[in-house]
Amino acid sequence: MRPAREFFARDSVDLGPLLLGAVISHDTDEGRVSVRLSEVEAYRGVGEDPGSHAFRGRTPRNTVMFGAAGHLYAYFTYGMHVCLNVVASEPGHSAAVLLRGGTVVEGIELARRRRAGASDRDLARGPARLAVALGVPLSASGADLLVPPFELRVLEQPLPFEAGPRTGVSGAGGGAAFPWRFWVAGEPGVSVYRRHARSHD
DNA sequence: ATACGGATTGTCT
DNA sequence: GACAATCCGTATA
């Protein structure tokens, strides 16, 4: 089903699992690519989640996290990668769900071109890879995911899922204190867990 | 104005 | 398993 905006206006930790099995589509003049999500991570807001971009309050970058649910929060990181989030929670709050991985279910030829050299399994397996496969640029941050060129369909019946520590989050936001990484067991689109370089102590 | 490090990935060992 | 790539956002002065 294509959910109404209220569907996204809830705690990101609750929304995350509901996005597993959902299909996100993006249209460009090159065509449509759709990805079925198999892994996500929840981030909460101001003062409550040290791993969140919104932890220290509103800034130019994270402003869209404070806006309406169901919009796209895209950010640039490591000097070269774009990652995508679905904004959750309600206006004035700030929370989002990071799309960490999935499998391409439509437009696989276009996705292969965008991810030249990657195996089919790796096309959208990982947050930055997923953004490339879908062809979503950083400039799309703030876009409403409920209207074209995006489409988001979720399952009527939520899938069983597993939860664990978030990947790549260092410091107080990492580790078992925030087990807000959610994935569908056995799905090929689940990324390899790589402990953050700085979590070795 | 400057310094630091990152919600990652690909390549090499 | 280890490391480089690469540049923007944020904090500090």
Side-chain angles (χ1 to χ4, degrees), chain A residues 21-75:
Chain A
V23 174
I24 181 171
S25 303
H26 181 229
D27 296 309
T28 67
D29 51 11
E30 295 185 298
R32 160 172 287 210
V33 169
S34 301
V35 169
R36 186 178 56 233
L37 303 174
S38 48
E39 179 186 0
V40 301
E41 270 175 14
Y43 288 84
R44 278 185 177 157
V46 182
E48 48 180 352
D49 180 358
S52 173
H53 288 169
F55 181 62
R56 294 161 188 277
R58 188 174 181 144
T59 66
R61 176 173 69 161
N62 67 25
T63 291
V64 3
M65 285 182 76
F66 292 77
H71 286 245
L72 176 72
Y73 168 50
Y75 66 89

Side-chain angles (χ1 to χ4, degrees), chain A residues 90-117:
Chain A
E90 304 185 68
H93 294 258
S94 55
V97 176
L98 171 67
L99 307 183
R100 285 202 56 89
T103 55
V104 174
V105 294
E106 187 177 13
I108 192 162
E109 293 187 1
L110 175 52
R112 282 175 183 145
R113 257 179 278 143
R114 288 173 171 159
R115 294 265 304 128

Side-chain angles (χ1 to χ4, degrees), chain A residues 183-198:
Chain A
W183 68 92
V184 181
E187 276 280 313
V190 176
S191 70
V192 185
Y193 182 83
R194 279 161 103 160
R195 185 196 210 182
H196 193 277
R198 293 175 182 281

